[in-house]
Amino acid sequence: MSKIRLGILGGGEDSLIGILHRVAANMFDQFEIVGGVFDIAHAKSLKFGEKLQLDSTRVYKDLDELIEKESQLPEDQKIQAVSVLTPNFLHFPMAKRLLENGFHVICEKPLTTTYEEAKILNEIQQKKDTIFAVTYTYTGYPMIRQMKTMIANGEIGKIQKVDIQYYQGWINPLIHDKEKRAATWRLDPEKSGISCCIGDIGTHAYNMAEYVTGMKVDKILADLNYLYEDNPMDIDGTVLLRFQENIKGVLRASQIATGEENNFTVQIYGDNGGLKWEQENPNYLYLLKEGMALQVLKPGHEYNSEFSLEGTKLPPGHPEGIFDSMGNIYYGVAMAIKDKTKHKGAYPKLDDGLRGMNFIEKTVDSHKKGNIWINIEE
């Protein structure tokens, strides 16, 4: 089959997330980037489109023009899927318009700025029956997929403890200066929504907890840190988790963990063993068993699951990283569009983004009501 024609919103010249998505889209030769809106300034967008060697007539002024012009093209030429790489507050209006006009969507997280917006997208997507992915990027790592498979196969027994940590330190140099914290868009509720730390990285941790365990969180209790009274957004927090059958966990997220870069650690303990994974060393999955030496599992070996091996592109001993992880998600989306999906969890779906938005709002609610237990499900 021919490549899926992809459009991109945002992710222009200076965007880190833009290059991540472009490399990922090209990784398995399943997508072809054919156009988009890369910058709010059309001249900059055109210049960037030229750099990507795109047809300038398909580098549009805005989303409305993209939808109008692409909809006029024959079915075998028009854009089929669109990646939304814009700031948080634009996710909902853009994704909504795309869904309403029949495009498949790949959207950065958080899905929207409110749970109500996320529910609207979910309703539209179900009616349109299109593919919608939310890029919880870390679910694409081969050894995370190995962890998921091992847990599902009962290799560590019944889960009895979930511990997820996501520590960064990038806000620390900004938060102590009143002018700097007021000028940071992630600390602006108008652009980020009601949460900074939990909305940005805590939602990754929450999604990961449910992804690898296969369980849903039932209740949460949150204690957030804002540090300064004039700062409306959380920058640090701890959330207690309760799953089904009295299984408990803890989620720790911080953007003021001084000196930390991207310390995302996943630890799952069963009654017959434990599994550990660290995003900064993603090729190592640690298996712990009572009375046995620590085992280190690595990608590319035959002992790994088919799901893990499908996302492994290099022979053992060759490091794979964040680009590969995102590439695996794009591959999962491509297989879904082509109706060839083989593995559950091949890409994070809109429902995952919906649960993420619900988690963000319930976390803030739990904190503001005095750090109380709140049901995730309504």
Side-chain angles (χ1 to χ4, degrees):
M1 295 179 67
S2 60
K3 292 183 181 181
I4 297 164
R5 294 174 296 281
L6 180 69
I8 295 179
L9 302 178
E13 187 71 42
D14 300 320
S15 170
L16 167 64
I17 207 70
I19 190 168
L20 175 58
H21 280 261
R22 292 194 304 277
V23 171
N26 285 297
M27 192 168 285
F28 283 92
D29 296 321
Q30 295 293 324
F31 290 91
E32 178 186 7
I33 300 170
V34 298
V37 183
F38 303 103
D39 196 285
I40 193 170
H42 191 218
K44 288 184 179 180
S45 197
L46 281 169
K47 185 177 180 180
F48 189 68
E50 182 179 357
K51 181 179 178 180
L52 298 183
Q53 299 182 321
L54 301 179
D55 179 349
S56 62
T57 65
R58 299 183 81 170
V59 179
Y60 301 104
K61 290 185 296 184
D62 52 33
L63 176 58
D64 289 338
E65 185 182 46
L66 182 150
I67 291 173
E68 178 187 355
K69 294 292 180 63
E70 289 294 325
S71 297
Q72 294 171 1
L73 295 174
E75 284 297 318
D76 63 350
Q77 296 179 28
K78 66 181 289 189
I79 286 174
Q80 297 165 274
V82 178
S83 295
V84 180
L85 315 183
T86 57
N88 301 356
F89 71 100
L90 292 173
H91 291 180
F92 171 69
M94 288 182 164
K96 182 173 182 290
R97 292 273 286 125
L98 291 166
L99 285 176
E100 289 170 339
N101 285 275
F103 293 91
H104 302 297
V105 179
I106 301 167
C107 185
E108 263 298 322
K109 42 60 52 194
L111 176 59
T112 55
T113 56
T114 71
Y115 183 44
E116 286 303 316
E117 290 176 343
K119 288 196 289 187
I120 291 170
L121 292 184
N122 191 47
E123 290 173 4
I124 298 171
Q125 192 247 348
Q126 289 181 357
K127 290 177 183 176
K128 292 291 186 177
D129 195 29
T130 52
I131 302 301
F132 195 115
V134 182
T135 53
Y136 289 111
T137 316
Y138 308 110
T139 62
Y141 276 108
M143 300 319 289
I144 279 293
R145 294 179 170 196
Q146 178 66 16
M147 178 189 278
K148 178 180 177 66
T149 303
M150 292 176 69
I151 291 172
N153 290 342
E155 294 187 42
I156 62 169
K158 183 181 178 181
I159 295 173
Q160 53 194 24
K161 177 68 175 180
V162 176
D163 189 336
I164 313 285
Q165 172 189 294
Y166 201 152
Y167 281 180
Q168 297 176 339
W170 73 271
I171 282 182
N172 191 61
L174 307 173
I175 196 66
H176 305 294
D177 185 299
K178 187 171 184 178
E179 290 185 4
K180 287 181 179 178
R181 64 177 176 260
T184 302
W185 76 265
R186 285 203 178 274
L187 296 176
D188 181 354
E190 294 294 321
K191 295 179 179 177
S192 279
I194 64 171
S195 170
C196 178
C197 180
I198 297 300
D200 184 22
I201 60 176
T203 186
H204 269 300
Y206 174 76
N207 172 260
M208 183 63 75
E210 294 197 332
Y211 181 79
V212 295
T213 65
M215 303 185 303
K216 301 296 184 186
V217 175
D218 289 336
K219 297 179 180 179
I220 60 103
L221 183 152
D223 186 17
L224 306 181
N225 190 353
Y226 295 73
L227 213 58
Y228 293 98
E229 289 186 2
D230 66 329
N231 172 37
M233 308 283 278
D234 59 280
I235 52 174
D236 175 86
T238 301
V239 185
L240 299 181
L241 310 173
R242 285 184 183 172
F243 298 84
Q244 67 232 19
E245 301 177 4
N246 294 318
I247 299 168
K248 298 182 180 182
V250 60
L251 185 159
R252 297 165 289 148
S254 181
Q255 292 169 319
I256 52 168
T258 306
E260 291 283 8
E261 296 173 335
N262 202 51
N263 183 1
F264 186 21
T265 303
V266 182
Q267 302 176 107
I268 313 295
Y269 300 95
D271 59 8
N272 192 39
L275 290 164
K276 289 185 182 181
W277 178 87
E278 300 168 336
Q279 195 278 152
E280 292 184 351
N281 296 288
N283 287 326
Y284 299 88
L285 176 61
Y286 301 100
L287 174 62
L288 299 86
K289 293 275 189 174
E290 293 283 359
M292 295 178 61
L294 175 70
Q295 296 181 55
V296 183
L297 310 181
K298 297 175 69 178
H301 291 280
E302 291 183 1
Y303 56 68
N304 287 313
S305 66
E306 181 186 351
F307 190 23
S308 173
L309 291 172
E310 181 184 79
T312 305
K313 301 156 206 68
L314 299 170
H318 294 76
E320 299 197 30
I322 192 76
F323 288 93
D324 303 274
S325 182
M326 184 70 89
N328 289 335
I329 290 174
Y330 267 81
Y331 181 72
V333 173
M335 292 301 98
I337 290 173
K338 295 179 178 183
D339 198 22
K340 292 184 177 182
T341 299
K342 292 190 293 183
H343 302 289
K344 184 178 180 181
Y347 68 96
K349 298 183 179 180
L350 194 151
D351 183 63
D352 296 301
L354 180 68
R355 289 188 64 80
M357 287 311 306
N358 189 25
F359 168 71
I360 293 167
E361 293 196 359
K362 293 294 175 60
T363 297
V364 173
D365 197 29
S366 169
H367 174 80
K368 289 186 174 180
K369 287 181 177 177
N371 317 113
I372 64 170
W373 285 103
I374 288 184
N375 291 328
I376 284 288
E377 303 295 345
E378 294 182 340

